[in-house]
């Protein structure tokens, strides 16, 4: 199922101002199975097993890509030195230069690095991992909500296709008796013509009576009716549609069950086409296959 979600987590205390915020993005596209890929910075590589566990617990199908990026820390990533820190650093620099006159003065970067290390009392890496997992959980929940909304739209589309397939099945049912009756009449006409030709060639001494010829023609028509009878296929097709409709209304994890039922629908439509003895039935079979293929594409999006 396609979807996109992103979430961010940022430090909230003054002690953590040196820590960057974390943004997690998750993209999913259609897939029969759950295929997960990560795009993590080196600082967060160790979180891949934990994030995979979160994704497996929240998702069932789809090709998933999770990206995480570190934002800039507060105030462009720079610490906020206090006057006491700067005063102390100045005294230390003066003391060092008194003993080592050739020592170069501190640069701004060195002063800020010292203030960052001196002012950080929290375990930065551990807190960074916590922020990343927090953002990942929020992104997964947002993705599940988005996929749920898309699922509702997909259910509406599938229900629409079910209605159309039922209409086509209802159209196909009455066509078979009409085709059988027409073929029966055609057999009778052929046997009548054959008898007339035989009478003319034998001078009226044909060995086959008109009654036996008529019976044979009717038997041929009955055998033809059995070959083209699609009542069983239409019955199974309607039963599969009932089951699909029931599953869609019940909800839950139904992607794989729907895959199987779509295959069965395709099989019945193929059989209907192979038994077709009329152009109308062939057209109905083709329309059914188109609708079933559309359903197959949508079902791949459903968990």
């Amino acid at each position: 199922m396609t979807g996109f979600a992103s979430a961010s987590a940022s430090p909230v205390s003054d002690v953590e101002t040196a820590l960057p915020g974390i943004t997690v993005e998750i993209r999913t596209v259609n897939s029969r199975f759950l295929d997960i890929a990560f795009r993590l910075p080196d600082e967060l590589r160790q979180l891949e097993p934990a994030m995979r566990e979160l994704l497996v617990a929240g998702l069932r199908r789809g090709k998933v890509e999770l990206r995480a990026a570190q934002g800039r820390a507060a105030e462009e990533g720079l610490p906020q030195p206090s006057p006491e820190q700067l005063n102390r650093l100045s005294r230390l620099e003066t003391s060092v230069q008194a003993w080592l006159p050739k020592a170069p003065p501190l640069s701004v970067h060195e002063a800020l690095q010292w203030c960052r290390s001196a002012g950080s009392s929290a375990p930065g890496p551990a807190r960074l991992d916590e922020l990343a997992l927090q953002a990942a959980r929020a992104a997964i929940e947002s993705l599940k909500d988005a996929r749920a909304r898309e699922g509702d739209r997909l259910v509406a589309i599938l229900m629409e296709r079910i209605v159309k397939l039922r209409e086509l099945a209802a159209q196909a049912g009455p066509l078979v008796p009409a085709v059988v009756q027409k073929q029966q009449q055609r057999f009778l006409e052929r046997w009548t013509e054959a008898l007339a030709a035989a009478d003319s060639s034998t001078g009226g001494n044909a060995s086959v009576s008109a009654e036996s010829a008529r019976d044979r023609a009717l038997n041929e028509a009955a055998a033809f009716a059995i070959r083209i009878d699609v009542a069983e296929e239409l019955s199974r097709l309607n039963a599969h549609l009932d089951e699909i409709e029931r599953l869609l209304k019940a909800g839950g994890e139904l992607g794989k069950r729907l895959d199987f039922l779509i295959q069965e629908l395709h099989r019945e439509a193929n059989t209907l086409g192979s038994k077709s003895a009329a152009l109308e039935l062939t057209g109905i079979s083709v329309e059914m296959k188109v609708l079933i293929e559309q359903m197959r594409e949508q079902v791949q999006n459903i968990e």
Side-chain angles (χ1 to χ4, degrees):
M1 183 178 291
T2 58
F4 172 81
S6 66
S8 299
S10 301
V12 294
S13 66
D14 293 338
V15 175
E16 299 170 341
T17 53
L19 287 176
I22 302 293
T23 299
V24 173
E25 293 182 353
I26 305 177
R27 305 171 189 269
T28 62
V29 294
N30 305 336
S31 178
R32 294 183 60 189
F33 307 101
L34 184 60
D35 182 11
I36 302 174
F38 292 94
R39 302 289 185 271
L40 301 176
D42 293 338
E43 295 81 1
L44 301 176
R45 288 288 181 187
Q46 71 279 3
L47 295 180
E48 183 172 321
M51 289 187 174
R52 183 180 297 275
E53 185 177 346
L54 292 175
L55 289 170
V56 170
L59 308 174
R60 294 294 177 269
R61 302 177 76 182
K63 188 173 182 179
V64 183
E65 181 183 85
L66 185 148
R67 292 176 177 268
Q70 298 185 46
R72 301 185 67 85
E75 297 295 330
E76 299 294 327
L78 301 178
Q80 299 296 316
S82 65
E84 292 79 7
Q85 287 177 323
L86 294 176
N87 189 24
R88 183 184 176 192
L89 189 59
S90 176
R91 292 196 306 270
L92 289 173
E93 183 182 24
T94 301
S95 177
V96 169
Q97 288 180 338
W99 286 94
L100 302 171
K102 294 183 179 181
L106 287 173
S107 66
V108 174
H109 175 72
E110 290 171 336
L112 291 176
Q113 287 293 102
W114 185 87
C115 292
R116 174 183 284 121
S117 61
S120 178
S121 60
R127 180 56 178 155
L128 197 64
D129 291 355
E130 183 182 342
L131 290 174
L133 291 176
Q134 178 184 339
R137 293 188 191 96
I140 291 172
E141 290 302 317
S142 178
L143 179 67
K144 289 167 66 176
D145 291 340
R147 284 160 67 105
R149 291 191 297 270
E150 184 185 0
D152 292 339
R153 293 192 293 270
L154 293 179
V155 168
I157 292 173
L158 290 174
M159 287 294 190
E160 180 183 348
R161 300 298 185 273
I162 289 174
V163 170
K164 291 182 178 180
L165 283 171
R166 290 191 192 279
E167 292 174 354
L168 291 173
Q171 294 173 19
L175 291 176
V176 175
V179 172
V180 171
Q181 185 177 5
K182 185 177 180 179
Q183 192 66 24
Q184 182 182 32
Q185 185 63 33
R186 187 178 302 170
F187 281 140
L188 289 173
E189 291 172 358
R190 286 182 179 178
W191 280 105
T192 301
E193 292 173 1
L195 282 176
D199 286 342
S200 63
S201 63
T202 60
N205 295 321
S207 59
V208 180
S209 67
E211 184 177 352
S212 63
R214 182 176 181 277
D215 290 341
R216 185 168 180 180
L218 292 176
N219 289 335
E220 290 287 343
F224 173 78
I226 293 173
R227 288 197 304 271
I228 70 167
D229 184 25
V230 293
E232 185 177 351
E233 285 75 15
L234 292 176
S235 234
R236 286 198 296 264
L237 187 140
N238 280 312
H240 296 328
L241 292 176
D242 290 340
E243 180 63 11
I244 292 174
E245 188 172 2
R246 185 190 70 80
L247 289 174
L248 291 175
K249 290 180 178 178
E253 295 180 18
L254 25 117
K256 292 183 179 180
R257 284 180 286 180
L258 289 179
D259 279 339
F260 171 75
L261 289 170
I262 293 297
Q263 292 176 6
E264 294 301 307
L265 284 178
H266 207 331
R267 183 177 304 168
E268 302 305 336
N270 277 334
T271 306
L272 182 66
S274 65
K275 287 187 173 184
S276 173
L279 186 60
E280 294 86 348
L281 280 174
T282 301
I284 287 175
S285 173
V286 171
E287 289 187 39
M288 280 185 172
K289 290 179 184 179
V290 171
L291 291 172
I292 292 170
E293 190 59 32
Q294 291 174 354
M295 292 178 70
R296 185 198 302 276
E297 294 175 359
Q298 300 301 335
V299 162
Q300 290 179 356
N301 296 334
I302 297 179
E303 292 189 1

